[in-house]
Amino acid sequence: RRVLFRSIIGNAINLISDALLLTTMFIGLSVLDPLISACSVVLFVSVAIVLHKIATKKAQKIANELVDFSIDSNSKLVEGIKLYRELSISGQMGRYVKSINETRRQISRLQAEQAFIPLVGKYTFELTMIIGSLLIAGIEFALKDAASAISSLAIFFVAGSRVSPAILRVQQTILQVRNGATTARRTIEMMKELQNIYDDYPPDSRITRNHGDFIPRIEFDKVSFQYEDNQRWVLEDVSFRIEKGNLVSVVGSSGSGKTTLVDQIGRAHV
């Protein structure tokens, strides 16, 4: 909670400071040349609005996909750790690892696209500044003398060089907040789903332990087993009985079949 609170406060402070900077710059430049200052602000704000709509839609799509792939990747990792022996025995480990690698590759791709979005805004504002400079230079030199045209162009450069970074920071801050909100929303949805599942089971419900005629005993009766790629019998005519409460140790040299014997109890080999 502290980290989330600090992140929200930090983004809010940056947003307010950049908004104050834009207001101060607009007021100051309006004193020098109201028309050029107003045109500069309108131009950059218009580009920022269009760019923000496009970037927001793209960023939210990436954030949703990134959350889905992250959940899928983490679920597969946990499942793979739990089912490591079963996957190894069944020969499915390679396919499972390939599936996890593909998921991680998609996550890397989405993270790269997410990191590239701010650069699109930066390059767009730089291109806007170049095009705006050419337009203003052409208009000013056609309608005014050289001194007035150069002064107007200088004011536009000053406005653009100070206004565009502030607008870009505002846009990036809003994108960060929305991306965080998307992740938080998905987390809250999962928490609600888990809560609904938990609510389906009353607090006083208990796991029944009465299994009728079930006898808690492990018994092998002449069990034999060999792997498909090995002609040697790993287990051959093995018989024993373990009663409830008995403590039994399985000992033997490496490759004697201890693990295979334990796997047979859990029917890991069919």
Side-chain angles (χ1 to χ4, degrees):
R1 292 183 179 179
R2 288 184 177 180
V3 175
L4 180 60
F5 180 75
R6 290 175 181 175
S7 177
I8 294 174
I9 294 298
N11 288 329
I13 292 175
N14 290 334
L15 191 61
I16 294 173
S17 62
D18 287 329
L20 291 176
L21 175 62
L22 287 173
T23 303
T24 304
M25 287 294 301
F26 177 71
I27 294 174
L29 292 173
S30 297
V31 176
L32 298 176
D33 192 326
L35 181 60
I36 295 298
S37 299
C39 291
S40 300
V41 173
V42 169
L43 174 63
F44 286 107
V45 170
S46 300
V47 172
I49 292 174
V50 175
L51 187 64
H52 177 70
K53 290 183 177 180
I54 298 174
T56 300
K57 184 177 180 180
K58 180 67 174 178
Q60 288 183 342
K61 180 181 178 182
I62 292 176
N64 287 326
E65 293 182 358
L66 194 58
V67 171
D68 291 335
F69 280 116
S70 297
I71 294 174
D72 184 42
S73 175
N74 293 333
S75 299
K76 287 180 178 178
L77 286 174
V78 173
E79 184 181 6
I81 293 173
K82 291 181 178 179
L83 302 177
Y84 178 79
R85 177 171 296 179
E86 288 79 0
L87 291 172
S88 299
I89 293 172
S90 62
Q92 298 297 320
M93 181 61 72
R95 182 186 63 81
Y96 205 82
V97 171
K98 183 178 180 181
S99 176
I100 295 176
N101 288 338
E102 177 62 22
T103 303
R104 299 302 302 177
R105 188 184 69 82
Q106 293 295 335
I107 292 175
S108 299
R109 177 183 62 82
L110 291 171
Q111 289 176 340
E113 292 182 4
Q114 193 175 55
F116 184 71
I117 289 178
L119 297 179
V120 174
K122 177 177 178 294
Y123 297 144
T124 301
F125 277 114
E126 290 179 354
L127 182 61
T128 300
M129 191 167 180
I130 294 174
I131 295 175
S133 300
L134 294 176
L135 290 175
I136 289 179
I139 295 174
E140 290 294 320
F141 276 106
L143 300 179
K144 299 180 180 180
D145 57 87
S148 299
I150 293 175
S151 62
S152 298
L153 190 59
I155 293 174
F156 176 79
F157 271 115
V158 172
S161 61
R162 301 304 301 171
V163 170
S164 57
I167 294 177
L168 189 60
R169 286 194 299 270
V170 170
Q171 180 194 20
Q172 292 176 358
T173 301
I174 295 175
L175 286 178
Q176 289 176 358
V177 172
R178 292 195 173 184
N179 289 340
T182 300
T183 304
R185 183 168 57 251
R186 297 299 300 274
T187 303
I188 293 173
E189 290 175 356
M190 293 180 64
M191 293 174 62
K192 289 181 178 179
E193 291 178 1
L194 292 175
Q195 183 64 40
N196 293 333
I197 295 175
Y198 176 77
D199 292 340
D200 291 338
Y201 296 91
D204 57 347
S205 62
R206 296 292 185 270
I207 299 175
T208 176
R209 298 184 183 277
N210 183 12
H211 300 289
D213 298 332
F214 173 74
I215 301 175
R217 180 176 66 209
I218 298 175
E219 183 175 357
F220 274 43
D221 185 13
K222 296 182 179 180
V223 175
S224 300
F225 178 83
Q226 67 177 165
Y227 292 100
E228 294 181 359
D229 56 349
N230 194 340
Q231 299 298 323
R232 183 178 66 87
W233 288 97
V234 182
L235 302 177
E236 187 172 3
D237 292 334
V238 176
S239 300
F240 62 86
R241 176 183 293 181
I242 304 175
E243 299 291 345
K244 177 183 177 181
N246 289 349
L247 180 61
V248 179
S249 297
V250 181
V251 297
S253 60
S254 178
S256 61
K258 302 185 299 298
T259 302
T260 304
L261 177 63
V262 175
D263 289 338
Q264 291 301 312
I265 297 176
R267 296 191 64 81
H269 302 291
V270 180

